[in-house]
Amino acid sequence: MNIRIEESWKSKLQEEFDKPYFKSLIDFVKAEYKHNQIFPPAHLIFNAFDKCPLDDVKVIIIGQDPYHNLGQANGLCFSVNDGVKTPPSLINIYKELQDDLGILIPKSGNLERWSQQGVLLLNATLTVRAHNAGSHQGKGWEQFTDSIISMLSDNYNNLIFMLWGKYAQQKGENIDTNKHLVLSSPHPSPLSAHRGFFGNKHFSQANEYLVEHNKKSIDW
């Protein structure tokens, strides 16, 4: 199957694209875009990969679903486009960044600048029906993103996985911790951030690890 995705990912994932489950997934997604309002816009489904070539990946942040309200989802987990109100979870991510590294809270919730430095902002499910959270779960996206996490864990060294909340932690339970740094904490949602997301110091830990392994730190 010919998927429009950044070339380094395409060559590595072609075997996955050719599997029967992925064809069924794409058939489902095409029908959903035809008959319903789906987010993100179709050309941004693989935006996380397009903005972060495979060999540039240093950090993987795992989200769950795209945002499901109008104008929010841009294919990068936790991120919204310039001019869109910053969602509550991202506000809390920014608060932790300020506490951890002294970075002033940005006016924009667009995290594309992270992607361009090697941060893969990976949702477990890459599409969603408008105003219907979880509506595209169980259709094959999870198998696809599991295969990506496994591929990165197995074939690369010294990556950093940020697993925020139980869902992301379950998603990353097979990551090889002998080869990679796995940082886990509660989710940044207002419902759970005070249970340990605040104060997790993940951003400074990530940069320290990158420097230790002769990689350029992230300008968060």
Side-chain angles (χ1 to χ4, degrees):
M1 178 173 288
N2 185 32
I3 298 295
R4 294 183 190 174
I5 192 172
E6 193 276 333
E7 199 57 42
S8 63
W9 287 101
K10 186 172 185 175
S11 60
K12 195 71 173 179
L13 295 174
Q14 189 58 55
E15 186 177 325
E16 204 69 25
F17 296 148
D18 290 336
K19 291 181 179 179
Y21 89 88
F22 194 84
K23 182 182 185 304
S24 297
L25 168 63
I26 294 304
D27 288 344
F28 165 77
V29 169
K30 285 180 177 178
E32 282 287 280
Y33 274 93
K34 185 176 181 180
H35 298 293
N36 298 287
Q37 187 174 30
I38 306 299
F39 300 128
H43 69 283
L44 295 177
I45 291 175
F46 297 106
N47 197 30
F49 309 94
D50 293 337
K51 291 291 190 294
C52 185
L54 178 56
D55 289 335
D56 292 347
V57 174
K58 301 175 183 177
V59 180
I60 301 93
I61 299 177
I62 298 176
Q64 192 163 354
D65 273 4
Y67 295 120
H68 55 81
N69 290 326
L70 185 65
Q72 288 185 303
N74 64 7
L76 311 175
C77 74
F78 294 107
S79 174
V80 292
N81 287 329
D82 294 329
V84 177
K85 183 179 178 182
T86 305
S89 291
L90 182 53
I91 289 173
N92 286 338
I93 291 170
Y94 282 164
K95 286 178 178 177
E96 174 57 24
L97 259 176
Q98 185 174 43
D99 181 65
D100 187 10
L101 292 172
I103 294 172
L104 294 177
I105 294 176
K107 293 180 180 179
S108 173
N110 193 336
L111 302 180
E112 188 175 314
R113 66 190 184 281
W114 293 6
S115 296
Q116 293 169 342
Q117 298 177 77
V119 181
L120 180 65
L121 296 166
L122 180 66
N123 274 317
T125 303
L126 300 190
T127 54
V128 69
R129 196 178 294 180
H131 318 302
N132 191 353
S135 50
H136 284 189
Q137 291 178 5
K139 303 298 184 181
W141 281 130
E142 295 91 341
Q143 183 175 344
F144 175 65
T145 50
D146 280 347
S147 73
I148 290 164
I149 293 167
S150 295
M151 181 269 289
L152 290 168
S153 176
D154 293 347
N155 295 310
Y156 292 83
N157 294 307
N158 306 132
L159 299 177
I160 301 160
F161 293 83
M162 294 185 179
L163 310 179
W164 299 335
K166 289 182 179 178
Y167 183 89
Q169 288 157 22
Q170 291 171 349
K171 188 96 175 149
E173 62 188 4
N174 294 320
I175 295 166
D176 187 344
T177 55
N178 293 314
K179 296 169 61 181
H180 308 287
L181 177 63
V182 176
L183 300 173
S184 299
S185 82
H187 195 274
S189 159
L191 298 174
S192 55
H194 291 279
R195 298 178 192 154
F197 178 79
F198 290 137
N200 66 23
K201 306 289 185 188
H202 282 183
F203 301 104
S204 59
Q205 290 185 66
N207 277 353
E208 288 166 7
Y209 185 85
L210 289 171
V211 171
E212 286 171 8
H213 292 88
N214 301 310
K215 298 181 181 183
K216 186 176 180 181
S217 60
I218 305 295
D219 180 7
W220 299 103

